[in-house]
């Protein structure tokens, strides 16, 4: 799978990038070729998808068994390579961190991206959830059916959301970082949750400059804990890779994958594959 984080790795825009030469990639799908001595539950020849701490863009990949999952019979390898990162991230933010329930509303930035599309699909599995999304206008056609209210990413979405929902939204998922933090917090209803999970502006800021990300962090309004307390608001962060590879929560993620594969098998969610590339072209 080719994800946003891979672009950031490629640009050197992450903390402690590994020394080159390195093989990028954090998720893959394929066929089991060999097993460790004590591995149970898998056999050679099984179709699987997996998380990998780098090195996924390779012909042969090695990863601990706790990060490996069987692929449903009717899921293709390309769908499977596009499934784990986006859907696990979206699911855990919505249900583990923000406790999405019937009748709530969600604002998601980059609604046309992999996580954004997964968020919209997962929201549609819960009754009466309203999804507000921002995306570049050229992506609107592809995602208009899964998002309740879609805005251009350059529009004044705060005013647009307030016009439709005067008291704001229950959940804000922000991968943009920088100047959106204050806006997102201002849109939260009491007991609402704001989750920062990525940083697209680092790579696709208005200026397309890879050096503009430092500037945008300076624009983050200082979050005042007393104000959070007075306004009954929750602010949270989410990093799937840290959860898996630094904080040893592979078991928790496995439970989430079981739920997601049930949703896939009952045709409620489906990964969107934008394009396929030969390894030489990557």
């Amino acid at each position: 799978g080719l994800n946003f984080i891979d672009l950031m790795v490629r640009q050197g825009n992450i903390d402690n990038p590994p020394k080159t030469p390195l093989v990028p990639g954090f998720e893959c799908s394929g066929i089991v070729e060999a097993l460790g001595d004590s591995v149970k539950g898998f056999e050679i020849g099984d179709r699987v998808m997996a998380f990998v701490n780098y090195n996924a863009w390779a012909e042969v990949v090695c990863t601990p068994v706790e990060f490996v999952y069987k692929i449903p019979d009717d899921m293709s390898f390309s769908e499977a390579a596009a499934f784990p990162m986006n859907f696990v991230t979206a699911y855990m933010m919505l249900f583990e961190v923000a406790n999405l329930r019937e009748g709530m509303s969600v604002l998601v930035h980059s609604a046309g991206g992999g996580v954004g599309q997964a968020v919209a699909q997962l929201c549609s599995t819960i009754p009466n959830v309203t999804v507000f999304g921002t995306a570049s206008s050229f992506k609107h056609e592809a995602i208009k059916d899964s998002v309740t209210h879609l805005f251009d990413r350059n529009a004044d979405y705060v005013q647009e959301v307030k016009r439709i929902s005067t008291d704001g939204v229950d959940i804000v998922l922000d991968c943009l970082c920088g100047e959106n933090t204050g806006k997102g917090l201002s849109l939260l209803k009491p007991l609402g949750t704001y989750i920062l999970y990525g940083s697209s502006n680092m790579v696709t800021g208005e200026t397309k400059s890879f050096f503009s990300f430092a500037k945008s962090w300076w624009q983050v309004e200082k979050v005042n804990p007393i104000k959070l307390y007075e306004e009954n608001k929750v602010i949270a962060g989410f990093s799937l890779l840290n959860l898996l590879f630094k904080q040893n929560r592979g078991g928790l993620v496995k439970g989430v994958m079981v739920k997601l594969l049930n949703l896939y098998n009952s045709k409620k969610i489906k990964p969107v594959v934008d394009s396929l590339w030969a390894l030489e072209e990557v």
Side-chain angles (χ1 to χ4, degrees), residues 189-203:
K189 292 179 183 177
L191 301 182
T193 306
Y194 170 97
I195 308 176
L196 189 66
Y197 72 94
S199 27
S200 326
N201 268 8
M202 290 190 182
V203 183

Side-chain angles (χ1 to χ4, degrees), residues 8 12 21 97 102 223 247 262-263:
M8 289 177 60
V97 182
E102 184 173 343
V223 176
Q247 295 158 339
N262 284 336
L263 287 169

Side-chain angles (χ1 to χ4, degrees), residues 29-58:
S29 66
I31 293 168
V32 175
E33 227 165 79
L35 304 166
D37 292 340
S38 56
V39 169
K40 305 227 176 354
F42 291 94
E43 291 175 17
I44 289 172
D46 281 350
R47 301 167 73 246
V48 296
M49 53 188 153
F51 289 110
V52 198
N53 195 8
Y54 290 99
N55 298 306
W57 297 358

Side-chain angles (χ1 to χ4, degrees), residues 86-95 100 115-127 129 131 256 259-260 263 268-269:
N86 293 330
F87 275 98
V88 170
T89 298
Y91 187 97
M92 294 191 83
M93 289 195 299
L94 289 172
F95 298 107
L100 177 66
V115 173
Q117 291 182 1
V119 163
Q121 289 187 29
L122 288 167
C123 286
S124 70
T125 67
I126 305 293
V129 171
V131 181
V256 169
K259 293 173 187 165
L260 285 167
L263 287 169
K268 294 198 170 132
I269 58 173

Side-chain angles (χ1 to χ4, degrees), residues 147-200:
V147 176
T148 326
H149 303 286
L150 193 53
F151 312 122
D152 188 84
R153 65 170 286 201
N154 299 319
D156 181 0
Y157 62 87
V158 175
Q159 293 314 314
E160 295 284 333
V161 171
K162 284 192 165 154
R163 189 171 54 75
I164 298 163
S165 172
T166 43
D167 55 347
V169 297
D170 296 292
I171 300 169
V172 175
L173 303 177
D174 184 5
C175 57
L176 297 176
C177 93
E179 66 275 15
N180 286 279
T181 307
K183 292 179 186 174
L185 278 170
S186 75
L187 276 174
L188 277 188
K189 292 179 183 177
L191 301 182
T193 306
Y194 170 97
I195 308 176
L196 189 66
Y197 72 94
S199 27
S200 326

